[in-house]
Amino acid sequence: DVKVTQSSRYLVKRTGEKVFLECVQDMDHENMFWYRQDPGLGLRLIYFSYDVKMKEKGDIPEGYSVSREKKERFSLILESASTNQTSMYLCASGLASQGGYEQYFGPGTRLTVT
Amino acid sequence: GDSVTQMEGPVTLSEEAFLTINCTYTATGYPSLFWYVQYPGEGLQLLLKATKADDKGSNKGFEATYRKETTSFHLEKGSVQVSDSAVYFCALSDLWENNRLAFGKGNQVVVIP
């Protein structure tokens, strides 16, 4: 079974802090993704990566950056956390298969910025 | 760009009732279509998928048929259980859009005993 793990299930940070969210996958997938999930807005893509050291902006990259130094690990960084970044953050990994492009999700990190 | 539209609002129904959640899509290429489910406190899990027109995806009693003529991928289950209470997301991936997944906003399903 594919396993995607995230470093924390719950996190509370103060405004202005630098926040790191870590994601690790164990299936040698090339592609990894960070989403945030908010009520009424569904899932929105923040950043994604097709390979080590590569990154692409998603739909809402402002206020975030990412790092992918190893294939299995994809980090989301909030340079200076703000209260409007309080959200559920979901990491996913995947590859393009002949049967369609599936993504596998971690359990999520619920971040609260006070 | 590609997009997915799900019916508005939560769905509340009784155990053993028939469930339908509507999903329509807009895509420039030849998308693959997915339904994901999110149980309380968990991440998303792939429920079923279909990769070409007229394909039917099925899993755990749920079914959805890829209808190109109506650009739809409606989710159905004949007899729901309390354990089916979750949020359901329709999604598509399209090679022309770099294989990104586009998600609908999700539907909360509540099954009452």
Side-chain angles (χ1 to χ4, degrees):
Chain A
D1 277 354
V2 176
K3 191 159 188 183
V4 179
T5 56
Q6 296 184 226
S7 50
S8 304
R9 292 299 300 271
Y10 300 94
L11 208 53
V12 180
K13 296 292 182 181
R14 293 192 180 276
T15 302
E17 279 193 83
K18 190 169 186 176
V19 181
F20 293 87
L21 303 182
E22 304 285 339
C23 175
V24 178
Q25 51 98 0
D26 67 356
M27 282 303 293
D28 203 34
H29 287 163
E30 290 84 8
N31 307 314
M32 297 188 74
F33 305 81
W34 275 105
Y35 297 88
R36 62 178 284 177
Q37 182 179 13
D38 300 287
L41 297 177
L43 275 77
R44 293 180 291 168
L45 181 64
I46 304 171
Y47 266 97
F48 57 106
S49 169
Y50 286 140
D51 202 350
V52 176
K53 296 192 185 296
M54 293 183 65
K55 60 185 179 184
E56 298 277 347
K57 291 180 180 179
D59 299 319
I60 52 163
E62 296 78 19
Y64 303 94
S65 62
V66 290
S67 172
R68 191 154 181 214
E69 296 296 319
K70 293 185 178 181
K71 191 175 186 179
E72 68 270 19
R73 187 179 298 268
F74 191 36
S75 301
L76 179 69
I77 303 156
L78 286 65
E79 296 289 344
S80 177
S82 64
T83 54
N84 63 12
Q85 292 178 310
T86 292
S87 186
M88 169 70 89
Y89 289 88
L90 294 168
C91 174
S93 74
L95 46 77
S97 68
Q98 190 172 2
Y101 186 68
E102 300 172 26
Q103 292 183 20
Y104 299 87
F105 285 80
T109 296
R110 186 165 294 282
L111 172 67
T112 302
V113 182
T114 61
Chain B
D2 295 352
S3 65
V4 174
T5 301
Q6 290 181 235
M7 53 194 281
E8 293 286 332
V11 178
T12 302
L13 60 169
S14 299
E15 203 165 23
E16 300 183 1
F18 185 87
L19 170 69
T20 299
I21 304 176
N22 290 340
C23 171
T24 57
Y25 68 89
T26 304
T28 52
Y30 302 94
S32 296
L33 300 172
F34 306 88
W35 277 99
Y36 282 82
V37 59
Q38 185 178 33
Y39 297 105
E42 298 184 12
L44 275 69
Q45 302 174 23
L46 179 65
L47 180 60
L48 54 83
K49 69 177 183 180
T51 59
K52 61 183 187 297
D54 300 324
D55 268 3
K56 177 186 281 187
S58 61
N59 187 25
K60 298 182 181 180
F62 290 89
E63 293 183 340
T65 301
Y66 188 163
R67 301 283 188 202
K68 191 174 180 183
E69 64 277 12
T70 54
T71 61
S72 65
F73 192 56
H74 304 323
L75 182 69
E76 296 181 336
K77 186 173 185 182
S79 177
V80 293
Q81 305 300 312
V82 172
S83 57
D84 293 323
S85 298
V87 181
Y88 293 82
F89 293 92
C90 185
L92 70 82
S93 73
D94 189 342
L95 284 173
W96 295 102
E97 293 285 336
N98 296 319
N99 276 326
R100 289 174 49 168
L101 271 179
F103 284 91
K105 292 188 176 179
N107 286 103
Q108 174 83 52
V109 172
V110 177
V111 180
I112 300 169

